[in-house]
Amino acid sequence: GNSVTQMEGPVTLSEEAFLTINCTYTATGYPSLFWYVQYPGEGLQLLLKATKADDKGSNKGFEATYRKETTSFHLEKGSVQVSDSAVYFCALSFSNDYKLSFGAGTTVTVRA
Amino acid sequence: DAGVTQSPTHLIKTRGQQVTLRCSPKSGHDTVSWYQQALGQGPQFIFQYYEEEERQRGNFPDRFSGHQFPNYSSELNVNALLLGDSALYLCASSWTGTVAINYGYTFGSGTRLTVV
């Protein structure tokens, strides 16, 4: 079946540090890939997405590139802020599907 | 503009009991999906309701059932609760016919269910 594997957390960083969260997937076919973020006490929010190989999704300083050859969609940010502290989820879905398949999530804490 | 509203926020039930969770979709949305998020895990798709019918279902037993009302709000019912049903239950709403890749899903903050 389809699945998403994320880097285990928690991850603790200092402000202005570089953040990377690894995500790899297993799927039959070519899914669309997503990063969702969950801030404390809130619902999941879409952070960025990519729908085909070599697409780069970007938002709020975060970036991720769809790599078909390595079945990966790693999330990166060059300089994190305290406000980036959250749980980050990698997910996939297909064009004819109504559901999202999520990874286990990675908790990121940024210290001032 | 209110987003997705879920109630209650927290709930404690005893094993074997039944529970009903409620969701009001974002204004303008007519489709509701339910997800289960166990502690330390990602959300797992339970089912989606559209036009008052279950349109797609994940790998959950029949103890999990749902309903959608004419005003598009939805209920998730779980019968014969097990300890393993303890989780955060998330509701997500979207607009007619939106598949997941259209990223039109808006998530609520969830209901935390504890089964003791």
Side-chain angles (χ1 to χ4, degrees):
Chain A
N2 304 320
S3 66
V4 176
T5 301
Q6 280 183 243
M7 174 177 125
E8 287 189 18
V11 175
T12 303
L13 302 165
S14 297
E15 233 176 358
E16 299 184 5
F18 182 85
L19 170 68
T20 182
I21 304 175
N22 290 341
C23 171
T24 58
Y25 68 90
T26 301
T28 303
Y30 302 103
S32 293
L33 301 173
F34 307 82
W35 277 99
Y36 277 80
V37 59
Q38 187 175 34
Y39 299 103
E42 298 184 16
L44 277 74
Q45 301 174 25
L46 177 66
L47 182 59
L48 53 84
K49 71 174 183 71
T51 58
K52 61 183 187 297
D54 300 324
D55 265 2
K56 177 185 283 188
S58 62
N59 186 28
K60 299 181 181 179
F62 289 89
E63 292 184 341
T65 301
Y66 190 146
R67 301 290 187 196
K68 186 176 69 173
E69 63 276 13
T70 55
T71 62
S72 65
F73 193 54
H74 305 322
L75 183 68
E76 296 181 339
K77 186 174 185 181
S79 177
V80 294
Q81 305 300 313
V82 172
S83 57
D84 293 325
S85 298
V87 182
Y88 293 82
F89 293 93
C90 187
L92 66 80
S93 188
F94 289 90
S95 60
N96 59 349
D97 203 354
Y98 297 107
K99 73 175 185 294
L100 289 156
S101 298
F102 288 90
T106 302
T107 301
V108 173
T109 301
V110 180
R111 293 181 174 171
Chain B
D1 179 26
V4 176
T5 304
Q6 293 188 242
S7 63
T9 306
H10 296 85
L11 199 55
I12 299 175
K13 288 288 190 179
T14 302
R15 190 172 48 182
Q17 285 188 318
Q18 180 264 345
V19 69
T20 297
L21 311 182
R22 295 176 176 83
C23 173
S24 293
K26 180 179 178 180
S27 177
H29 286 182
D30 59 5
T31 301
V32 173
S33 303
W34 288 93
Y35 287 79
Q36 180 196 66
Q37 185 179 3
L39 194 62
Q41 297 182 25
Q44 299 291 317
F45 178 76
I46 303 174
F47 42 54
Q48 184 182 85
Y49 274 83
Y50 171 63
E51 291 188 336
E52 303 181 42
E53 292 192 356
E54 184 183 289
R55 175 157 69 176
Q56 185 174 350
R57 187 180 183 92
N59 188 25
F60 278 79
D62 292 343
R63 297 187 298 109
F64 290 78
S65 63
H67 188 76
Q68 185 179 35
F69 299 93
N71 67 352
Y72 310 125
S73 65
S74 176
E75 290 182 346
L76 165 65
N77 300 294
V78 187
N79 294 323
L81 284 167
L82 304 174
L83 297 179
D85 294 331
S86 295
L88 179 68
Y89 288 85
L90 296 168
C91 172
S93 73
S94 57
W95 181 74
T96 303
T98 302
V99 291
I101 68 168
N102 291 345
Y103 52 91
Y105 288 12
T106 301
F107 282 82
S109 300
T111 294
R112 173 74 63 188
L113 172 66
T114 302
V115 181
V116 298

